[in-house]
Amino acid sequence: MSGRVALRVGPEHVGSRVVLRRRAPGGRYVDVLGELVSWGGGVARVRTRAGEASVPLDQVIAGRPTRSSCWPASRQCRTTGLHLVEGVHLV
């Protein structure tokens, strides 16, 4: 893969849930999924489950907004107000 595939996320998505795909050492690609905290100065900051990640924009090859998440599953979904029930799967 060379160059950007599709970058459909930008500063207008701050506060939204996004996924960014970036180049990693060794020719691998890594996805960063979470809430876009900031976009500027050549860096996107994303709040993930593991903490905040700073992603250099020159390493981002693709990105897009994505659906909100209800994680952790034991809490109420902040975006939709849905409460997850164990054993129930919505299709």
Side-chain angles (χ1 to χ4, degrees), residues 6 14 27 42 56 65-67 76 79 86 88:
V14 169
T66 188
R67 286 190 255 169
Q76 216 172 9
T79 304
E86 189 175 333
V88 175

Side-chain angles (χ1 to χ4, degrees), residues 20 46 54 65 69:
L20 300 176
V46 179
S54 294
S69 172

Side-chain angles (χ1 to χ4, degrees), residues 21-65:
R21 178 161 288 172
R22 69 175 186 87
R23 283 188 296 273
R28 297 181 23 235
Y29 295 93
V30 176
D31 289 342
V32 179
L33 175 66
E35 179 187 352
L36 184 60
V37 177
S38 70
W39 181 288
V43 175
R45 287 185 23 230
V46 179
R47 184 176 301 119
T48 70
R49 286 184 186 185
E52 200 166 286
S54 294
V55 182
L57 293 176
D58 62 353
Q59 292 180 3
V60 176
I61 62 156
R64 66 179 178 87

